[in-house]
């Protein structure tokens, strides 16, 4: 009996070097992401990146022919925090979203409801860029069937004017960069010079066709 207990104990306390490295605990990650948002640190970090971009745009635009900026929408221009929190950081594409602040909240229903508020600092950047004769384009991973809802949401959030809104074709799937980079190229082929591209995902910015890119904080989800 004693020998059996010793054997069981020796197996339980196997050296850590013999175990596979574990990923971060999901529960801990959720608590950390919530604390980052609720403490105000997320908004401060977001605004700091927007401030850097705004300075760059104001410095670069006067020296550029047909300057333009490209913005993502979700977690760049509009905040989906109410939906993210209701779904406990999960992604639930289908179903209604009619019990906020409780979940579940279907992501598509949320987006089509047009309730997402704009980030105040990003709205101010857009207005300042337009005052300096910089064209504003949105390139979003939302699909074309959300165009009307997206335009309506932007208007409700206080963003009245833009020079182009590019949504993903219904047949387009897979990596976001495979759609976003060629779209920026299309904008530049029209004669614009994209002096800044802003997004919350690396896939929003990869692939070139922008003088400078600005990655906004988003520990809440990842889009490849």
């Amino acid at each position: 009996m004693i020998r059996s207990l010793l054997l069981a104990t020796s197996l339980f306390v196997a050296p850590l070097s013999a175990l596979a490295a574990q990923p971060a605990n999901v529960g801990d990650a959720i608590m950390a992401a919530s604390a980052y948002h609720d403490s105000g640190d997320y908004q401060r970090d977001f605004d700091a990146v927007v401030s850097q971009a705004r300075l760059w745009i104001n410095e670069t635009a006067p020296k550029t022919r047909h300057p333009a900026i490209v913005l993502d929408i979700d977690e760049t221009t509009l905040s989906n925090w109410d939906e993210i929190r209701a779904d406990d950081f999960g992604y639930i594409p289908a179903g209604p979203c009619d019990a906020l602040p409780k979940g579940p909240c279907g992501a598509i229903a949320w987006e089509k409801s047009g309730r997402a508020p704009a980030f105040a600092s990003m709205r101010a950047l857009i207005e300042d860029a337009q005052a300096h004769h910089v064209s504003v384009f949105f390139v979003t991973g939302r699909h074309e069937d959300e165009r009307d809802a997206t335009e309506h949401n932007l208007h409700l959030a206080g963003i009245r004017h833009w020079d182009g809104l590019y949504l993903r074709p219904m047949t387009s799937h897979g990596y976001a960069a495979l759609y976003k980079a060629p779209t920026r190229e299309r904008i530049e082929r029209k004669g614009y010079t994209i002096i800044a591209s802003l997004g919350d995902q690396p896939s929003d910015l990869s692939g070139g066709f922008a003088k400078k890119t600005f990655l906004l904080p988003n520990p809440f989800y990842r889009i490849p």
Side-chain angles (χ1 to χ4, degrees):
M1 174 68 74
I2 293 175
R3 185 172 180 276
S4 298
L5 287 173
L6 289 173
L7 179 59
T9 302
S10 67
L11 291 174
F12 179 72
V13 294
L16 290 178
S17 59
L19 302 176
Q22 296 183 59
N25 182 277
V26 173
D28 292 342
I30 287 174
M31 288 189 289
S34 296
Y36 177 57
H37 178 276
D38 295 345
S39 68
D41 288 343
Y42 165 64
Q43 191 63 60
R44 281 189 288 271
D45 290 348
F46 185 100
D47 292 345
V49 176
V50 173
S51 179
Q52 294 169 8
R54 192 167 172 176
L55 286 172
W56 165 261
I57 292 165
N58 289 344
E59 290 173 359
T60 309
K63 301 177 287 186
T64 305
R65 189 168 179 268
H66 301 313
I69 59 174
V70 169
L71 307 175
D72 175 50
I73 288 184
D74 297 298
E75 273 54 67
T76 297
T77 305
L78 301 176
S79 171
N80 299 298
W81 177 250
D82 289 344
E83 175 243 329
I84 293 169
R85 177 174 52 191
D87 289 337
D88 207 19
F89 297 89
Y91 179 63
I92 304 174
C97 181
D98 51 15
L100 293 175
K102 296 181 179 180
C105 172
I108 295 173
W110 161 260
E111 290 172 1
K112 290 188 174 181
S113 73
R115 288 178 283 175
F119 290 98
S121 58
M122 189 62 74
R123 185 173 57 224
L125 178 147
I126 291 169
E127 293 169 354
D128 190 42
Q130 291 170 334
H132 286 83
H133 308 290
V134 176
S135 298
V136 175
F137 294 89
F138 293 109
V139 179
T140 174
R142 296 185 180 193
H143 281 89
E144 187 62 42
D145 64 345
E146 293 188 50
R147 176 174 293 277
D148 290 345
T150 301
E151 290 180 346
H152 181 61
N153 197 154
L154 290 170
H155 283 139
L156 287 179
I159 299 168
R160 309 294 183 186
H161 307 289
W162 53 84
D163 295 271
L165 170 61
Y166 292 86
L167 293 96
R168 203 163 185 170
M170 298 303 294
T171 55
S172 174
H173 301 282
Y175 293 113
L178 297 179
Y179 151 71
K180 292 198 169 189
T183 303
R184 291 194 300 274
E185 183 183 19
R186 286 172 57 193
I187 293 169
E188 291 209 326
R189 284 205 306 264
K190 292 182 177 181
Y192 295 97
T193 300
I194 299 173
I195 59 176
S197 180
L198 289 84
D200 64 286
Q201 303 286 327
S203 58
D204 292 331
L205 308 175
S206 64
F209 304 105
K211 280 182 173 287
K212 195 164 185 176
T213 61
F214 295 87
L215 180 63
L216 297 154
N218 183 0
F220 312 129
Y221 58 82
R222 174 71 71 219
I223 297 176

